[in-house]
Amino acid sequence: MAQKIKVWDGAIRFFHWAMVLLVAGLWFSGSEGYIALHQLLAYSLASLLIARLVWGVYGSQTARFSQFAATPKAALLYLRHPKPVVGHNPASSYMIFTLLSLLLLQIISGLATFDNSYMSDGPLVAVLPASWVDLASTVHKFNIDVILILITIHVFFAVWHSWRHDNVIKTMLTGSATIHNAVQPTLRPVWRFFVMLAVLLSLLYYWQGRVLMALL
C-alpha cells in the first residue's frame, strides 16, 4: 500500500539547494575575478559542509551516511531495477559521497591558493611552503572543473530518474514522497542544524569575513 511520508527534513533540503546556489556563485565569482566575494561564499560553503557532515552522523535518519552507504553490488542492482526508496538510493549515494569529498577538497585547497595578491590569497598561503601552495593552487583550479562535470551528470540523472521513475526533484523540494510499504523515518528537530550552521558561519566570518567585507 502506498503512503505519503516525510523523507527529507528541512536541514537536508536547505543544504541541497543552498549548495547549488553557493557553487554557482563560487564558479561565477572565481571566473570573473571577484576574489573577496569568492572567499566569502567559500566560507559560507565551508560552514554548510561541516554542518552537513555533523548532521550526517547525528541528524535525521535519512540524513545519516550510515543509512545510505551501499556496496557496489547494491548500486548495480538498483540501476538494473530502479524503484522508489526512502532517502538516497544506493546508486546516488556514490555521487553524494564523491561530491561532498571534492567540495571539501576545494575548500581546503582554496585556503592555500595563491592569487597574485596579498590581500586575496588564501589565509594559509603565508604559513605553508611554496611547494604546498603551488600544489593547492593547481588542485583548486583543476578540481572545480571535475565538480562542475559531476554536478552536470548528477542533474541529468536526477531529471531522467524523476521522469522515468519517481520524482526525486519534487521530493527534495517538498520533503515528502508517496512510497509503497514505506515506514516513516525518524526526523530530528532541524533547529539544531541551523544553530550549528549559524555558529560555524559566525566563527569563520569572525576569522576572515570582516577583512573580506572591507574589500568588496
Side-chain angles (χ1 to χ4, degrees), residues 167-215:
N167 198 334
V168 293
I169 296 176
K170 181 181 178 181
T171 301
M172 188 56 74
L173 283 168
T174 65
S176 301
T178 302
I179 304 175
H180 287 278
N181 301 318
V183 177
Q184 174 64 51
T186 302
L187 303 181
R188 292 286 184 88
V190 297
W191 64 264
R192 300 175 183 177
F193 174 88
F194 289 107
V195 168
M196 175 171 51
L197 178 60
V199 170
L200 289 166
L201 282 169
S202 298
L203 290 173
L204 287 175
Y205 275 75
Y206 179 79
W207 178 41
Q208 292 289 320
R210 294 172 299 171
V211 176
L212 293 171
M213 291 292 290
L215 296 175

Side-chain angles (χ1 to χ4, degrees), residues 21-42 115 216:
L21 295 175
L22 285 171
V23 170
L26 282 162
W27 171 78
F28 175 78
S29 58
S31 300
E32 297 298 319
Y34 302 133
I35 303 303
L37 175 61
H38 185 76
Q39 291 187 355
L40 285 169
L41 293 176
D115 193 60
L216 288 178

Side-chain angles (χ1 to χ4, degrees), residues 108-189:
I108 294 170
S109 63
L111 293 174
T113 293
F114 178 71
D115 193 60
N116 298 315
S117 170
Y118 174 76
M119 293 300 292
S120 60
D121 288 342
L124 300 183
V125 169
V127 298
L128 290 176
S131 59
W132 288 29
V133 172
D134 290 340
L135 176 61
S137 301
T138 300
V139 169
H140 195 71
K141 292 176 181 178
F142 173 77
N143 191 50
I144 185 60
D145 293 331
V146 177
I147 290 172
L148 293 175
I149 290 171
L150 290 179
I151 288 176
T152 301
I153 295 171
H154 181 61
V155 170
F156 173 82
F157 279 103
V159 172
W160 179 84
H161 189 91
S162 295
W163 172 50
R164 293 297 301 272
H165 301 288
D166 60 299
N167 198 334
V168 293
I169 296 176
K170 181 181 178 181
T171 301
M172 188 56 74
L173 283 168
T174 65
S176 301
T178 302
I179 304 175
H180 287 278
N181 301 318
V183 177
Q184 174 64 51
T186 302
L187 303 181
R188 292 286 184 88

